[in-house]
Amino acid sequence: MNRKTTDTILGNGLRVVVVHAPGAPLAELRLVLPYARTAPRLTPVRELLAGCLGTGTTAGDGSRQDIADRAADLGAELSTVVTAESLVMATSVLSAGLPGALDLLADLLLRPAYRERELALVRQRAAAVPRIPGPRQRLRRALLSHAFGSHPLVDPPLVDPPAGQSGEPGTGDLYDLHARAVVPQGSVLLVMTRDAPDDVTALIQERLTDWTGGPSGLVLPRFVRRTPLPGRITVPAGPAPAGSAGQALVLTAGPAVPATDPGHAPLHLAQLALGGYASSLLARRVRDRHGLAYAISAQIRGNRAGDWLEIECAGAPGTAARIAEEITDCLRELAADGPTPQELDRARAYATGFTRFALATRTEEASALAGFAAAGLPLDWLATYRRALAEVTHAHVTEAAARFLHPSRTLIATLDDESDR
């Protein structure tokens, strides 16, 4: 990334990264707040806060409509996204409207208003979504729990309130969580703009200097085990959402390394050859040759809890056991021999193209850079990673396949719903 960038820690602990994008008609803002589900008891109020944040302030009228009108006058679009680890407030605004967008952001952060009518709307939307976890959720929780041990990522969310507490959180609970979680320490604000980075940093410091608090502590702890416990488990199908058809699901967890590890690039190419794209080994065998699956993929998953190589496959009811055997055979074959040179070339071309596609637009680039910063990666990580992919040899990938893909190091979980057969 050959752009002028400033990277500053403000006095309140907020990390501010400003990336110069000359000629860009829009400025992109991404505020990343740590927001992991560290305790099941926080789940109801976390969900409410995520739905209500940005709907009201005590500044001026401060209603949802007032905020929408202010954003429209600035040529801005606001959104909030929650991931497994973070709450991300995203803004795209006409460059001339950047100061006004920062004013609006400061109002939402420092002067929030959580009104009962907004809570009612969020509750109404939530009530329309089934609370019973679907088969994929149950399978993934069981897989990760067996592989890595009890952890907030896999512990079931709280359904009944603790003794002595009311069933639904109210506005007071939202203000309490806002004071704890919507804080500068541990958070990252990335701005991509045509304006001079030093000037933008000064604008941010002026508007957010009174924002204090943190760290929130809403950060995922590490898994109990660094590598998954291998083996085979079967998960009962359990209740399915109304109107859903039965299916066979297979999910695996194998060892992996984080993106910062030198061994990540060879493993990534081995994973792609295994099941990362349409003509991968798993797709050709499980889907095309045997017709067992209508969806199959392999990917490296990772966050602050840990890293694992995951294969996911969905097929017709009654096929889970056979799919699991075919996956086992593919893992054993690739671990023994590695991919062919042609398979490696296809995987490398796919990986290189995908890294370029991830930065195809300014919106995507801003989101990616904010994610890198929040994860502790350098902003130019993707460009560096492309060079690393180009330098990986066939021997490196064969070694990674032998080290990470052998089925003896992999946990395979199956769930097979044959109720409609």
Side-chain angles (χ1 to χ4, degrees):
M1 186 185 68
N2 298 318
R3 292 202 181 103
K4 182 180 179 182
T5 302
T6 61
D7 194 335
T8 308
I9 304 293
L10 301 186
N12 58 7
L14 176 67
R15 181 182 176 189
V16 175
V17 180
V18 184
V19 180
H20 190 218
L26 295 177
E28 301 287 346
L29 295 82
R30 301 292 184 273
L31 176 63
V32 185
L33 306 164
Y35 205 66
R37 183 169 65 87
T38 55
R41 65 180 178 81
L42 288 176
T43 298
V45 67
R46 282 182 68 259
E47 292 177 351
L48 272 179
L49 178 63
C52 293
L53 182 63
T55 64
T57 82
T58 58
D61 178 288
S63 66
R64 180 192 289 266
Q65 186 59 54
D66 180 58
I67 292 171
D69 290 343
R70 288 176 64 182
D73 290 342
L74 296 168
E77 293 183 3
L78 312 178
S79 63
T80 302
V81 176
V82 178
T83 71
E85 295 188 273
S86 306
L87 187 152
V88 183
M89 299 180 70
T91 304
S92 299
V93 61
L94 291 171
S95 291
L98 177 58
L102 290 172
D103 288 333
L104 179 55
L105 179 63
D107 285 340
L108 295 174
L109 297 175
L110 279 74
R111 293 168 283 277
Y114 295 110
R115 299 181 173 92
E116 192 58 48
R117 63 177 178 270
E118 297 296 344
L119 270 68
L121 287 173
V122 174
R123 291 191 187 107
Q124 184 178 359
R125 289 195 294 266
V129 179
R131 300 296 293 179
I132 299 175
R136 278 184 170 83
Q137 289 176 289
R138 294 197 302 274
L139 184 61
R140 176 162 281 113
R141 285 179 187 164
L143 174 89
L144 295 180
S145 178
H146 188 92
F148 298 108
S150 179
H151 188 274
L153 276 178
V154 299
D155 293 340
L158 190 67
V159 176
D160 298 318
Q165 293 187 15
S166 61
E168 288 188 338
T171 56
D173 300 297
L174 292 188
Y175 284 114
D176 289 344
L177 185 60
H178 185 107
R180 173 187 173 181
V182 185
V183 292
Q185 285 194 47
S187 300
V188 175
L189 174 60
L190 182 135
V191 180
M192 179 176 288
T193 174
R194 70 186 184 188
D195 300 317
D198 290 337
D199 294 341
V200 175
T201 301
L203 283 176
I204 294 170
Q205 185 159 11
E206 177 184 338
R207 284 157 175 79
L208 297 182
T209 188
D210 292 334
W211 186 32
T212 59
S216 68
L218 299 184
V219 176
L220 286 176
R222 294 288 300 179
F223 284 134
V224 176
R225 290 186 284 270
R226 298 296 295 269
T227 57
L229 185 68
R232 181 84 170 263
I233 61 172
T234 300
V235 178
S244 63
Q247 61 182 339
L249 297 174
V250 181
L251 199 63
T252 77
V257 291
T260 53
D261 192 290
H264 187 271
L267 173 60
H268 184 192
L269 293 175
Q271 164 254 315
L272 287 173
L274 173 67
Y277 54 95
S279 59
S280 63
L281 179 61
L282 281 171
R284 295 198 312 270
R285 179 175 297 181
V286 180
R287 185 192 62 198
D288 300 342
R289 184 187 305 173
H290 298 297
L292 293 172
Y294 50 81
I296 190 162
S297 65
Q299 56 186 309
I300 301 172
R301 292 188 175 272
N303 49 45
R304 292 181 188 273
D307 303 271
W308 67 99
L309 176 65
E310 180 178 282
I311 300 169
E312 182 176 5
C313 188
T319 61
R322 189 176 172 199
I323 291 172
E325 292 305 317
E326 291 294 338
I327 288 174
T328 300
D329 289 345
C330 287
L331 287 170
R332 185 177 293 110
E333 176 182 318
L334 204 56
D337 302 323
T340 66
Q342 293 76 19
E343 289 171 333
L344 175 57
D345 289 343
R346 287 197 295 268
R348 196 194 314 271
Y350 182 91
T352 302
F354 191 83
T355 59
R356 297 185 184 281
F357 179 75
L359 305 181
T361 68
R362 292 275 165 81
T363 297
E364 291 165 338
E365 184 177 7
S367 296
L369 295 181
F372 295 161
L377 295 171
L379 295 183
D380 64 348
W381 176 79
L382 209 54
T384 303
Y385 190 63
R386 280 197 292 268
R387 293 193 292 271
L389 288 171
E391 295 169 358
V392 172
T393 67
H394 185 267
H396 293 150
V397 179
T398 300
E399 181 182 354
R403 177 184 173 191
F404 293 103
L405 300 187
H406 198 278
S408 65
R409 302 196 63 195
T410 300
L411 174 64
I412 300 178
T414 59
L415 183 153
D416 208 336
D417 184 357
E418 301 185 64
S419 58
D420 66 339
R421 298 191 66 193

